[in-house]
Amino acid sequence: MTQPASDFIRQRIKQDLDSGLVEGAIVTRFPPEPNGYLHIGHAKSICLNFGVAEEFGGYTYLRFDDTNPLKESDTYVEAIQQDVAWLGFEWSDRLTNASDYFDALYARAVELIDGGKAYVCSLTGEEIRQSRGTLTEPGKESPYRGRSVEENRELFERMRAGEFADGEQVLRAKIDMASPNINMRDPVLYRIRHATHQRTGDKWVIYPMYDFTHCICDALEGITHSLCTLEFEDHRPLYDWVLDNINMNFHPPQIEFSRLGLEYTVLSKRLLSQLVTQGLVEGWDDPRMPTLAGLRRRGVTPGAIREFCRRVGVTKQDNRVEMSLLEFCIRRDLEGTVRRGMGVLNPLKVRISNYRDDGEVLEGPWHAQNPDLGRRELPFGAELYIEREDFTDAPPKKWRRLSPGALVRLRYAYIIRCDEVVRDARGEIQELVCSYIPESKSGSDTSGLKPNGVVHWVAADTAVAVEIRLYGRLFKVPDPGAATLVDDIDPASLTIRSGYVEPAIHHSDDDHFQFERLGYFFRDPERANTYNRTVSLRDSWKPG
RNA sequence: UGGGGAUUGGUGUAAUGGUAGCACGACUGACUCUGAAUCAGUUAGUAUAGGUUCAAAUCCUAUAUCCCCAGCCA
């Protein structure tokens, strides 16, 4: 069923293996910066990196790209590990940090200085920006570009020793201020940051930049294929330049693919972080969030996410995948194995006038098509709740639910007829008075009656009152932008209902359920007696 | 308007000079004690214009559109 993916990256790896360019194991890495929670876009990268290593017989590093102590923290480090493990991938002992290599990195920087390939620049940040040029104009060389090797070594050592304040000096690569690629216009390699690092503490006051760090870490770890997203394409020449200008006998190729785009949400740590910080959602694990923590809390399974990533594929094309594909993957993963029971989201009381309540307990399978899941007891009663939407005074054509005078089957129970609609002073429907057909009991129906349809229900005296949370799209538009983020939020994305579930659901050890006819629900791990709707069932009913 | 990328049904992708295929979606119908699932079917595409070739989504030349880059972020 699940065919092995074959995208341009896997084809390339296969080719590298066949040609002997790469000998032995394929080594990849997933290198998040611990400055936020992982989202489903990261899942694509995780599935790719861990996936190819698995397929081609290799391994994958989980490497924290922790070169900026101002933005990073241990809480993210832990959350990221939890998410990757939850997705089902193992890094075993290959968990590394860019900061593990700070000493090696420093030595490499000195190597560059010694080779006349890097210099300490004393320009201010503003001056550097001014002299960088623009997209169409070349930059101007720094007046400090010609410093001697000795002077650079001394200055760099003093930077490391903490003799300068933040921003006073930087180490820059000496490349080409006229390069059409702005990344090559003497990029900053090291900056001064008097900040405590979550791992190295106060040992360092200078921290290496991404472009200098990443390629060297890749090489040191023997990464055979360094996979990253498209926005780093322009950085590849710099990645290569660094490795070409130090004495390194290993040079991974950087291969870029497009990031995942998903309708009606945002997939950028910056924007997601903003939603959390501004209190627009309840947290990183708000079930409306596309974060792995949010998806998990909503009830989305790792298998569904992996299948989604597989189906989305890996290319260099910009994309915005429809939510329906994710929903399909979720339903498919839950379909065969999750228990099915009854829950009522919007209760309407039904009184069965001719039923004598004697504690009758009915029974039904947990899954009509999967008997392995067993059966559960279903207490009946003279007072029930059905879904308010399952009754109407004015049934449209092909209405298969309840209406005055109509027959409907209560799932796994009896056929009932609606005899009377009781309303309050305002005309709101208060309750339905129905009669049941005693000989129509599910499994031994001798009534010969053909009801309109089947409706779910719970018995009023045994049902468990629960809170049910329904989630819609977080945004009103398919492509919410950074500029209009707040306005684009759909205030109706969360609906809280006071409903009921049958007792067997309440007492089950499972936490995933299908509420028949309504969708898949997940018991909230934090909030007691609360069920999150993971995804609704497909609904092809069109009135009219 | 400098540089780097990308354009195949509504959406995501496959086809690597030789039958434009798959999936999601949408739409029909069958079945149904879930308007689900399942089953059967329908739908719609190579950005544009030239060229090379027996043959072009694929190669060439223009054009158009979209994305990324001017952090001491990653």
PDB file of all heavy atoms in Angstrom, chain A residues 350-353 355-362 378-385 410 413-414 416 436 457-462:
ATOM      1  N   VAL A 350     -35.509  13.512  24.181  1.00  0.00           N
ATOM      2  CA  VAL A 350     -36.558  12.703  23.573  1.00  0.00           C
ATOM      3  C   VAL A 350     -37.191  11.875  24.687  1.00  0.00           C
ATOM      4  O   VAL A 350     -36.484  11.189  25.423  1.00  0.00           O
ATOM      5  CB  VAL A 350     -35.982  11.764  22.495  1.00  0.00           C
ATOM      6  CG1 VAL A 350     -37.021  10.721  22.076  1.00  0.00           C
ATOM      7  CG2 VAL A 350     -35.518  12.556  21.289  1.00  0.00           C
ATOM      8  N   ARG A 351     -38.521  11.975  24.844  1.00  0.00           N
ATOM      9  CA  ARG A 351     -39.198  11.160  25.847  1.00  0.00           C
ATOM     10  C   ARG A 351     -39.977  10.081  25.121  1.00  0.00           C
ATOM     11  O   ARG A 351     -40.742  10.382  24.189  1.00  0.00           O
ATOM     12  CB  ARG A 351     -40.139  12.020  26.695  1.00  0.00           C
ATOM     13  CG  ARG A 351     -40.314  11.486  28.111  1.00  0.00           C
ATOM     14  CD  ARG A 351     -41.079  12.442  29.003  1.00  0.00           C
ATOM     15  NE  ARG A 351     -42.477  12.529  28.641  1.00  0.00           N
ATOM     16  CZ  ARG A 351     -43.092  13.669  28.322  1.00  0.00           C
ATOM     17  NH1 ARG A 351     -42.428  14.815  28.329  1.00  0.00           N
ATOM     18  NH2 ARG A 351     -44.366  13.671  28.014  1.00  0.00           N
ATOM     19  N   ILE A 352     -39.771   8.853  25.528  1.00  0.00           N
ATOM     20  CA  ILE A 352     -40.472   7.764  24.849  1.00  0.00           C
ATOM     21  C   ILE A 352     -41.672   7.383  25.697  1.00  0.00           C
ATOM     22  O   ILE A 352     -41.547   6.759  26.758  1.00  0.00           O
ATOM     23  CB  ILE A 352     -39.531   6.580  24.606  1.00  0.00           C
ATOM     24  CG1 ILE A 352     -38.318   7.105  23.808  1.00  0.00           C
ATOM     25  CG2 ILE A 352     -40.245   5.476  23.838  1.00  0.00           C
ATOM     26  CD1 ILE A 352     -37.370   6.053  23.373  1.00  0.00           C
ATOM     27  N   SER A 353     -42.829   7.808  25.221  1.00  0.00           N
ATOM     28  CA  SER A 353     -44.034   7.769  26.055  1.00  0.00           C
ATOM     29  C   SER A 353     -44.476   6.346  26.398  1.00  0.00           C
ATOM     30  O   SER A 353     -45.004   6.099  27.474  1.00  0.00           O
ATOM     31  CB  SER A 353     -45.157   8.514  25.349  1.00  0.00           C
ATOM     32  OG  SER A 353     -45.321   7.985  24.043  1.00  0.00           O
ATOM     33  N   TYR A 355     -42.503   3.657  26.667  1.00  0.00           N
ATOM     34  CA  TYR A 355     -41.434   2.783  27.142  1.00  0.00           C
ATOM     35  C   TYR A 355     -41.423   2.744  28.659  1.00  0.00           C
ATOM     36  O   TYR A 355     -41.442   3.778  29.318  1.00  0.00           O
ATOM     37  CB  TYR A 355     -40.081   3.277  26.630  1.00  0.00           C
ATOM     38  CG  TYR A 355     -38.926   2.366  26.993  1.00  0.00           C
ATOM     39  CD1 TYR A 355     -38.702   1.189  26.276  1.00  0.00           C
ATOM     40  CD2 TYR A 355     -38.085   2.665  28.061  1.00  0.00           C
ATOM     41  CE1 TYR A 355     -37.669   0.335  26.620  1.00  0.00           C
ATOM     42  CE2 TYR A 355     -37.047   1.815  28.409  1.00  0.00           C
ATOM     43  CZ  TYR A 355     -36.833   0.652  27.682  1.00  0.00           C
ATOM     44  OH  TYR A 355     -35.808  -0.177  28.019  1.00  0.00           O
ATOM     45  N   ARG A 356     -41.436   1.511  29.215  1.00  0.00           N
ATOM     46  CA  ARG A 356     -41.392   1.367  30.656  1.00  0.00           C
ATOM     47  C   ARG A 356     -39.942   1.104  31.046  1.00  0.00           C
ATOM     48  O   ARG A 356     -39.353   0.106  30.658  1.00  0.00           O
ATOM     49  CB  ARG A 356     -42.283   0.205  31.112  1.00  0.00           C
ATOM     50  CG  ARG A 356     -42.733   0.337  32.572  1.00  0.00           C
ATOM     51  CD  ARG A 356     -43.880  -0.644  32.846  1.00  0.00           C
ATOM     52  NE  ARG A 356     -43.580  -1.985  32.337  1.00  0.00           N
ATOM     53  CZ  ARG A 356     -42.832  -2.885  33.000  1.00  0.00           C
ATOM     54  NH1 ARG A 356     -42.343  -2.595  34.169  1.00  0.00           N
ATOM     55  NH2 ARG A 356     -42.618  -4.089  32.474  1.00  0.00           N
ATOM     56  N   ASP A 357     -39.372   2.047  31.746  1.00  0.00           N
ATOM     57  CA  ASP A 357     -37.943   1.983  32.053  1.00  0.00           C
ATOM     58  C   ASP A 357     -37.659   0.894  33.073  1.00  0.00           C
ATOM     59  O   ASP A 357     -38.070   0.977  34.213  1.00  0.00           O
ATOM     60  CB  ASP A 357     -37.488   3.345  32.607  1.00  0.00           C
ATOM     61  CG  ASP A 357     -36.065   3.650  32.194  1.00  0.00           C
ATOM     62  OD1 ASP A 357     -35.285   2.688  32.004  1.00  0.00           O
ATOM     63  OD2 ASP A 357     -35.737   4.842  32.045  1.00  0.00           O
ATOM     64  N   ASP A 358     -36.967  -0.161  32.650  1.00  0.00           N
ATOM     65  CA  ASP A 358     -36.647  -1.234  33.593  1.00  0.00           C
ATOM     66  C   ASP A 358     -35.145  -1.541  33.577  1.00  0.00           C
ATOM     67  O   ASP A 358     -34.727  -2.655  33.837  1.00  0.00           O
ATOM     68  CB  ASP A 358     -37.448  -2.484  33.253  1.00  0.00           C
ATOM     69  CG  ASP A 358     -37.136  -2.977  31.846  1.00  0.00           C
ATOM     70  OD1 ASP A 358     -36.378  -2.280  31.119  1.00  0.00           O
ATOM     71  OD2 ASP A 358     -37.630  -4.042  31.457  1.00  0.00           O
ATOM     72  N   GLY A 359     -34.367  -0.523  33.248  1.00  0.00           N
ATOM     73  CA  GLY A 359     -32.922  -0.710  33.272  1.00  0.00           C
ATOM     74  C   GLY A 359     -32.393  -1.573  32.138  1.00  0.00           C
ATOM     75  O   GLY A 359     -31.353  -2.214  32.274  1.00  0.00           O
ATOM     76  N   GLU A 360     -33.091  -1.597  31.020  1.00  0.00           N
ATOM     77  CA  GLU A 360     -32.647  -2.406  29.887  1.00  0.00           C
ATOM     78  C   GLU A 360     -31.283  -1.937  29.374  1.00  0.00           C
ATOM     79  O   GLU A 360     -31.037  -0.751  29.210  1.00  0.00           O
ATOM     80  CB  GLU A 360     -33.673  -2.321  28.753  1.00  0.00           C
ATOM     81  CG  GLU A 360     -33.299  -3.187  27.562  1.00  0.00           C
ATOM     82  CD  GLU A 360     -34.320  -3.089  26.425  1.00  0.00           C
ATOM     83  OE1 GLU A 360     -35.153  -2.149  26.449  1.00  0.00           O
ATOM     84  OE2 GLU A 360     -34.279  -3.949  25.545  1.00  0.00           O
ATOM     85  N   VAL A 361     -30.426  -2.925  29.152  1.00  0.00           N
ATOM     86  CA  VAL A 361     -29.123  -2.610  28.594  1.00  0.00           C
ATOM     87  C   VAL A 361     -28.979  -3.300  27.244  1.00  0.00           C
ATOM     88  O   VAL A 361     -29.048  -4.519  27.146  1.00  0.00           O
ATOM     89  CB  VAL A 361     -27.990  -3.059  29.539  1.00  0.00           C
ATOM     90  CG1 VAL A 361     -26.631  -2.816  28.889  1.00  0.00           C
ATOM     91  CG2 VAL A 361     -28.073  -2.305  30.864  1.00  0.00           C
ATOM     92  N   LEU A 362     -28.796  -2.506  26.212  1.00  0.00           N
ATOM     93  CA  LEU A 362     -28.602  -3.052  24.877  1.00  0.00           C
ATOM     94  C   LEU A 362     -27.096  -3.257  24.660  1.00  0.00           C
ATOM     95  O   LEU A 362     -26.284  -3.057  25.561  1.00  0.00           O
ATOM     96  CB  LEU A 362     -29.174  -2.089  23.836  1.00  0.00           C
ATOM     97  CG  LEU A 362     -30.670  -1.764  24.037  1.00  0.00           C
ATOM     98  CD1 LEU A 362     -31.092  -0.623  23.141  1.00  0.00           C
ATOM     99  CD2 LEU A 362     -31.512  -2.999  23.771  1.00  0.00           C
ATOM    100  N   LEU A 378     -24.866  -0.834  26.120  1.00  0.00           N
ATOM    101  CA  LEU A 378     -25.495   0.406  25.706  1.00  0.00           C
ATOM    102  C   LEU A 378     -26.802   0.568  26.482  1.00  0.00           C
ATOM    103  O   LEU A 378     -27.856   0.105  26.051  1.00  0.00           O
ATOM    104  CB  LEU A 378     -25.777   0.293  24.206  1.00  0.00           C
ATOM    105  CG  LEU A 378     -25.732   1.453  23.260  1.00  0.00           C
ATOM    106  CD1 LEU A 378     -24.609   2.415  23.546  1.00  0.00           C
ATOM    107  CD2 LEU A 378     -25.626   0.911  21.843  1.00  0.00           C
ATOM    108  N   PRO A 379     -26.755   1.183  27.653  1.00  0.00           N
ATOM    109  CA  PRO A 379     -27.984   1.314  28.447  1.00  0.00           C
ATOM    110  C   PRO A 379     -29.025   2.172  27.740  1.00  0.00           C
ATOM    111  O   PRO A 379     -28.704   3.215  27.176  1.00  0.00           O
ATOM    112  CB  PRO A 379     -27.504   1.971  29.748  1.00  0.00           C
ATOM    113  CG  PRO A 379     -26.102   2.381  29.532  1.00  0.00           C
ATOM    114  CD  PRO A 379     -25.577   1.749  28.310  1.00  0.00           C
ATOM    115  N   PHE A 380     -30.258   1.669  27.780  1.00  0.00           N
ATOM    116  CA  PHE A 380     -31.354   2.384  27.124  1.00  0.00           C
ATOM    117  C   PHE A 380     -32.183   3.075  28.204  1.00  0.00           C
ATOM    118  O   PHE A 380     -31.895   2.956  29.398  1.00  0.00           O
ATOM    119  CB  PHE A 380     -32.197   1.380  26.332  1.00  0.00           C
ATOM    120  CG  PHE A 380     -33.093   2.025  25.314  1.00  0.00           C
ATOM    121  CD1 PHE A 380     -32.560   2.702  24.231  1.00  0.00           C
ATOM    122  CD2 PHE A 380     -34.489   1.951  25.451  1.00  0.00           C
ATOM    123  CE1 PHE A 380     -33.389   3.304  23.292  1.00  0.00           C
ATOM    124  CE2 PHE A 380     -35.317   2.554  24.502  1.00  0.00           C
ATOM    125  CZ  PHE A 380     -34.770   3.216  23.431  1.00  0.00           C
ATOM    126  N   GLY A 381     -33.220   3.793  27.822  1.00  0.00           N
ATOM    127  CA  GLY A 381     -34.059   4.454  28.823  1.00  0.00           C
ATOM    128  C   GLY A 381     -35.221   5.162  28.174  1.00  0.00           C
ATOM    129  O   GLY A 381     -35.286   5.298  26.946  1.00  0.00           O
ATOM    130  N   ALA A 382     -36.118   5.651  29.010  1.00  0.00           N
ATOM    131  CA  ALA A 382     -37.302   6.353  28.502  1.00  0.00           C
ATOM    132  C   ALA A 382     -36.983   7.798  28.144  1.00  0.00           C
ATOM    133  O   ALA A 382     -37.736   8.463  27.450  1.00  0.00           O
ATOM    134  CB  ALA A 382     -38.424   6.306  29.526  1.00  0.00           C
ATOM    135  N   GLU A 383     -35.868   8.271  28.654  1.00  0.00           N
ATOM    136  CA  GLU A 383     -35.435   9.621  28.299  1.00  0.00           C
ATOM    137  C   GLU A 383     -34.082   9.547  27.632  1.00  0.00           C
ATOM    138  O   GLU A 383     -33.136   8.976  28.186  1.00  0.00           O
ATOM    139  CB  GLU A 383     -35.355  10.500  29.550  1.00  0.00           C
ATOM    140  CG  GLU A 383     -36.718  10.872  30.097  1.00  0.00           C
ATOM    141  CD  GLU A 383     -36.698  12.217  30.823  1.00  0.00           C
ATOM    142  OE1 GLU A 383     -35.595  12.609  31.281  1.00  0.00           O
ATOM    143  OE2 GLU A 383     -37.759  12.850  30.915  1.00  0.00           O
ATOM    144  N   LEU A 384     -34.013  10.115  26.471  1.00  0.00           N
ATOM    145  CA  LEU A 384     -32.782  10.056  25.695  1.00  0.00           C
ATOM    146  C   LEU A 384     -32.395  11.451  25.234  1.00  0.00           C
ATOM    147  O   LEU A 384     -33.182  12.390  25.307  1.00  0.00           O
ATOM    148  CB  LEU A 384     -32.994   9.196  24.436  1.00  0.00           C
ATOM    149  CG  LEU A 384     -33.671   7.840  24.569  1.00  0.00           C
ATOM    150  CD1 LEU A 384     -33.995   7.310  23.167  1.00  0.00           C
ATOM    151  CD2 LEU A 384     -32.757   6.872  25.297  1.00  0.00           C
ATOM    152  N   TYR A 385     -31.160  11.550  24.763  1.00  0.00           N
ATOM    153  CA  TYR A 385     -30.769  12.747  24.024  1.00  0.00           C
ATOM    154  C   TYR A 385     -30.422  12.329  22.609  1.00  0.00           C
ATOM    155  O   TYR A 385     -29.749  11.322  22.390  1.00  0.00           O
ATOM    156  CB  TYR A 385     -29.535  13.406  24.642  1.00  0.00           C
ATOM    157  CG  TYR A 385     -29.769  13.974  26.016  1.00  0.00           C
ATOM    158  CD1 TYR A 385     -29.147  13.422  27.132  1.00  0.00           C
ATOM    159  CD2 TYR A 385     -30.608  15.074  26.188  1.00  0.00           C
ATOM    160  CE1 TYR A 385     -29.350  13.951  28.389  1.00  0.00           C
ATOM    161  CE2 TYR A 385     -30.828  15.608  27.450  1.00  0.00           C
ATOM    162  CZ  TYR A 385     -30.193  15.037  28.553  1.00  0.00           C
ATOM    163  OH  TYR A 385     -30.403  15.563  29.793  1.00  0.00           O
ATOM    164  N   LEU A 410     -33.039   4.281  16.254  1.00  0.00           N
ATOM    165  CA  LEU A 410     -31.972   4.662  17.166  1.00  0.00           C
ATOM    166  C   LEU A 410     -30.891   3.601  16.995  1.00  0.00           C
ATOM    167  O   LEU A 410     -31.153   2.407  17.162  1.00  0.00           O
ATOM    168  CB  LEU A 410     -32.482   4.684  18.604  1.00  0.00           C
ATOM    169  CG  LEU A 410     -33.594   5.707  18.878  1.00  0.00           C
ATOM    170  CD1 LEU A 410     -34.148   5.523  20.288  1.00  0.00           C
ATOM    171  CD2 LEU A 410     -33.107   7.133  18.682  1.00  0.00           C
ATOM    172  N   ALA A 413     -30.619   0.184  18.610  1.00  0.00           N
ATOM    173  CA  ALA A 413     -31.738   0.120  19.562  1.00  0.00           C
ATOM    174  C   ALA A 413     -33.053  -0.015  18.795  1.00  0.00           C
ATOM    175  O   ALA A 413     -33.130  -0.811  17.860  1.00  0.00           O
ATOM    176  CB  ALA A 413     -31.724   1.347  20.464  1.00  0.00           C
ATOM    177  N   TYR A 414     -34.024   0.758  19.161  1.00  0.00           N
ATOM    178  CA  TYR A 414     -35.362   0.600  18.589  1.00  0.00           C
ATOM    179  C   TYR A 414     -35.681   1.663  17.541  1.00  0.00           C
ATOM    180  O   TYR A 414     -35.024   2.698  17.452  1.00  0.00           O
ATOM    181  CB  TYR A 414     -36.406   0.715  19.699  1.00  0.00           C
ATOM    182  CG  TYR A 414     -36.295  -0.344  20.766  1.00  0.00           C
ATOM    183  CD1 TYR A 414     -35.567  -0.102  21.924  1.00  0.00           C
ATOM    184  CD2 TYR A 414     -36.927  -1.582  20.604  1.00  0.00           C
ATOM    185  CE1 TYR A 414     -35.470  -1.066  22.914  1.00  0.00           C
ATOM    186  CE2 TYR A 414     -36.832  -2.555  21.595  1.00  0.00           C
ATOM    187  CZ  TYR A 414     -36.105  -2.298  22.744  1.00  0.00           C
ATOM    188  OH  TYR A 414     -36.007  -3.259  23.716  1.00  0.00           O
ATOM    189  N   ILE A 416     -38.204   4.505  16.498  1.00  0.00           N
ATOM    190  CA  ILE A 416     -39.147   5.393  17.189  1.00  0.00           C
ATOM    191  C   ILE A 416     -39.893   6.254  16.176  1.00  0.00           C
ATOM    192  O   ILE A 416     -39.456   6.437  15.036  1.00  0.00           O
ATOM    193  CB  ILE A 416     -38.434   6.322  18.202  1.00  0.00           C
ATOM    194  CG1 ILE A 416     -37.354   7.159  17.497  1.00  0.00           C
ATOM    195  CG2 ILE A 416     -37.831   5.514  19.348  1.00  0.00           C
ATOM    196  CD1 ILE A 416     -36.808   8.288  18.364  1.00  0.00           C
ATOM    197  N   TYR A 436     -41.971   4.156  20.813  1.00  0.00           N
ATOM    198  CA  TYR A 436     -41.042   3.205  20.221  1.00  0.00           C
ATOM    199  C   TYR A 436     -41.789   1.965  19.784  1.00  0.00           C
ATOM    200  O   TYR A 436     -42.905   1.688  20.221  1.00  0.00           O
ATOM    201  CB  TYR A 436     -39.923   2.873  21.206  1.00  0.00           C
ATOM    202  CG  TYR A 436     -40.211   1.757  22.170  1.00  0.00           C
ATOM    203  CD1 TYR A 436     -39.485   0.553  22.118  1.00  0.00           C
ATOM    204  CD2 TYR A 436     -41.196   1.887  23.143  1.00  0.00           C
ATOM    205  CE1 TYR A 436     -39.722  -0.466  23.005  1.00  0.00           C
ATOM    206  CE2 TYR A 436     -41.448   0.858  24.040  1.00  0.00           C
ATOM    207  CZ  TYR A 436     -40.710  -0.328  23.967  1.00  0.00           C
ATOM    208  OH  TYR A 436     -40.957  -1.342  24.829  1.00  0.00           O
ATOM    209  N   TRP A 457     -27.699   8.422  19.659  1.00  0.00           N
ATOM    210  CA  TRP A 457     -28.417   8.828  20.860  1.00  0.00           C
ATOM    211  C   TRP A 457     -27.622   8.435  22.089  1.00  0.00           C
ATOM    212  O   TRP A 457     -26.695   7.626  22.004  1.00  0.00           O
ATOM    213  CB  TRP A 457     -29.777   8.107  20.904  1.00  0.00           C
ATOM    214  CG  TRP A 457     -29.587   6.602  20.832  1.00  0.00           C
ATOM    215  CD1 TRP A 457     -29.425   5.853  19.715  1.00  0.00           C
ATOM    216  CD2 TRP A 457     -29.476   5.690  21.939  1.00  0.00           C
ATOM    217  NE1 TRP A 457     -29.221   4.526  20.022  1.00  0.00           N
ATOM    218  CE2 TRP A 457     -29.250   4.399  21.387  1.00  0.00           C
ATOM    219  CE3 TRP A 457     -29.544   5.839  23.331  1.00  0.00           C
ATOM    220  CZ2 TRP A 457     -29.082   3.262  22.194  1.00  0.00           C
ATOM    221  CZ3 TRP A 457     -29.392   4.701  24.128  1.00  0.00           C
ATOM    222  CH2 TRP A 457     -29.162   3.429  23.550  1.00  0.00           C
ATOM    223  N   VAL A 458     -27.996   8.971  23.230  1.00  0.00           N
ATOM    224  CA  VAL A 458     -27.507   8.468  24.514  1.00  0.00           C
ATOM    225  C   VAL A 458     -28.675   8.492  25.484  1.00  0.00           C
ATOM    226  O   VAL A 458     -29.589   9.311  25.345  1.00  0.00           O
ATOM    227  CB  VAL A 458     -26.340   9.317  25.091  1.00  0.00           C
ATOM    228  CG1 VAL A 458     -25.090   9.191  24.233  1.00  0.00           C
ATOM    229  CG2 VAL A 458     -26.745  10.772  25.238  1.00  0.00           C
ATOM    230  N   ALA A 459     -28.687   7.568  26.459  1.00  0.00           N
ATOM    231  CA  ALA A 459     -29.747   7.537  27.459  1.00  0.00           C
ATOM    232  C   ALA A 459     -29.461   8.614  28.502  1.00  0.00           C
ATOM    233  O   ALA A 459     -28.345   8.718  29.013  1.00  0.00           O
ATOM    234  CB  ALA A 459     -29.798   6.163  28.118  1.00  0.00           C
ATOM    235  N   ALA A 460     -30.486   9.410  28.821  1.00  0.00           N
ATOM    236  CA  ALA A 460     -30.274  10.589  29.660  1.00  0.00           C
ATOM    237  C   ALA A 460     -29.710  10.254  31.039  1.00  0.00           C
ATOM    238  O   ALA A 460     -28.856  10.964  31.561  1.00  0.00           O
ATOM    239  CB  ALA A 460     -31.574  11.376  29.794  1.00  0.00           C
ATOM    240  N   ASP A 461     -30.192   9.158  31.643  1.00  0.00           N
ATOM    241  CA  ASP A 461     -29.772   8.914  33.032  1.00  0.00           C
ATOM    242  C   ASP A 461     -28.378   8.293  33.154  1.00  0.00           C
ATOM    243  O   ASP A 461     -27.780   8.330  34.220  1.00  0.00           O
ATOM    244  CB  ASP A 461     -30.817   8.077  33.778  1.00  0.00           C
ATOM    245  CG  ASP A 461     -31.050   6.736  33.106  1.00  0.00           C
ATOM    246  OD1 ASP A 461     -30.623   6.578  31.933  1.00  0.00           O
ATOM    247  OD2 ASP A 461     -31.639   5.842  33.732  1.00  0.00           O
ATOM    248  N   THR A 462     -27.869   7.717  32.084  1.00  0.00           N
ATOM    249  CA  THR A 462     -26.532   7.104  32.186  1.00  0.00           C
ATOM    250  C   THR A 462     -25.469   7.841  31.371  1.00  0.00           C
ATOM    251  O   THR A 462     -24.285   7.553  31.503  1.00  0.00           O
ATOM    252  CB  THR A 462     -26.569   5.641  31.697  1.00  0.00           C
ATOM    253  OG1 THR A 462     -27.158   5.619  30.405  1.00  0.00           O
ATOM    254  CG2 THR A 462     -27.332   4.763  32.666  1.00  0.00           C
TER     255      THR A 462
END
